[in-house]
Amino acid sequence: MAIRYPNGKQYTRPAHTSESTQPKKDPVFSNRGMTLEDDINETNAYYLSRNMAVIHKKPVPIQIVQVDYPARSAAVIKEAYFRQASTTDYNGVYKGKYIDFEAKETNNTTSFPLKNFHAHQIAHMKQVDEHGGIAFVIIRFSKTDELFFLPFYTLNGFWERMHDGGRKSITKAELADCSAALKLGLSPRIPFLDAVEDIYF
């Protein structure tokens, strides 16, 4: 199925690293092939089942333009477009506070490229922050399974540094210094509410 952005450019799904090139991991805490999105979705389900928070992945607004019907009981989408640029991946409520966040992965091992963010995502999180909401990003270094919780106000400093002519990435050392490290576990998979509680409450 071809999915296109509003400007007509075709969307290409990011390639996943093959299992053969993945480093060996502890079988108890390994992500077992799960993506960051899978882990966060599982975490949100855990939080919801225990009435700790209500957080969901935002639906992607897609306009279907071509459908084939190979059989009466089946329909195959052949072409679709994103209706509008998406903002962030997740939103919800925790302890009466609006939460809005983005999840990003990188195969880099020493830094996180800021090109992984779009200007409209930064603008959206800035609005959330200015209105008293909780905006942040969860960053995963895929090859090492290192996870960082980065508040938006800190991310915005790196974004502005880039636009002032500075470096176009955040080094892992900088992340370790100004964000909260998250440990991959079992229940919940990614305990990001612990960081929310420590930083915002």
Side-chain angles (χ1 to χ4, degrees):
M1 173 183 69
I3 299 179
R4 300 182 187 279
Y5 289 103
N7 64 5
K9 183 178 177 182
Q10 185 163 338
Y11 167 75
T12 305
R13 186 177 185 135
H16 292 290
T17 308
S18 65
E19 281 186 18
S20 61
T21 61
Q22 297 272 346
K24 299 248 182 212
K25 300 171 189 169
D26 186 315
V28 176
F29 294 103
S30 157
N31 68 13
R32 300 187 299 278
M34 295 175 75
T35 65
L36 178 57
E37 180 181 314
D38 291 332
D39 284 334
I40 292 175
N41 289 343
E42 188 174 300
T43 300
N44 288 340
Y46 173 89
Y47 288 146
L48 184 63
S49 69
R50 283 153 181 78
N51 200 31
M52 296 169 68
V54 179
I55 303 169
H56 295 287
K57 181 169 175 57
K58 297 178 187 177
V60 179
I62 291 178
Q63 175 69 50
I64 298 169
V65 295
Q66 183 182 347
V67 182
D68 282 356
Y69 296 92
R72 284 188 176 188
S73 60
V76 179
I77 299 171
K78 289 294 187 181
E79 189 173 356
Y81 290 85
F82 290 114
R83 285 185 192 163
Q84 61 192 46
S86 61
T87 52
T88 49
D89 292 329
Y90 297 90
N91 67 348
V93 181
Y94 174 65
K95 290 189 173 180
K97 280 278 196 177
Y98 176 72
I99 283 183
D100 199 295
F101 67 96
E102 179 72 9
K104 299 285 188 184
E105 292 188 83
T106 182
N107 284 323
N108 287 11
T109 57
T110 59
S111 65
F112 180 81
L114 287 165
K115 67 180 181 181
N116 287 323
F117 293 103
H118 299 288
H120 67 268
Q121 292 177 319
I122 298 295
H124 171 74
M125 286 188 281
K126 187 173 185 178
Q127 288 180 318
V128 171
D129 187 66
E130 288 174 345
H131 284 271
I134 296 172
F136 59 91
V137 295
I138 294 175
I139 294 173
R140 171 185 270 168
F141 286 84
S142 302
K143 291 184 178 178
T144 56
D145 256 348
E146 291 174 278
L147 290 156
F148 296 95
F149 176 105
L150 185 64
F152 169 73
Y153 54 81
T154 307
L155 168 64
N156 194 49
F158 293 119
W159 184 261
E160 290 179 349
R161 179 180 72 178
M162 177 183 71
H163 282 277
D164 289 339
R167 66 176 297 130
K168 298 178 180 179
S169 64
I170 310 169
T171 67
K172 189 183 286 185
E174 287 175 323
L175 279 172
D177 186 54
C178 67
S179 67
L182 299 173
K183 297 293 184 185
L184 194 66
L186 296 175
S187 296
R189 290 287 292 160
I190 300 176
F192 63 85
L193 283 186
D194 291 350
V196 170
E197 187 70 29
D198 289 343
I199 295 169
Y200 295 97
F201 287 89

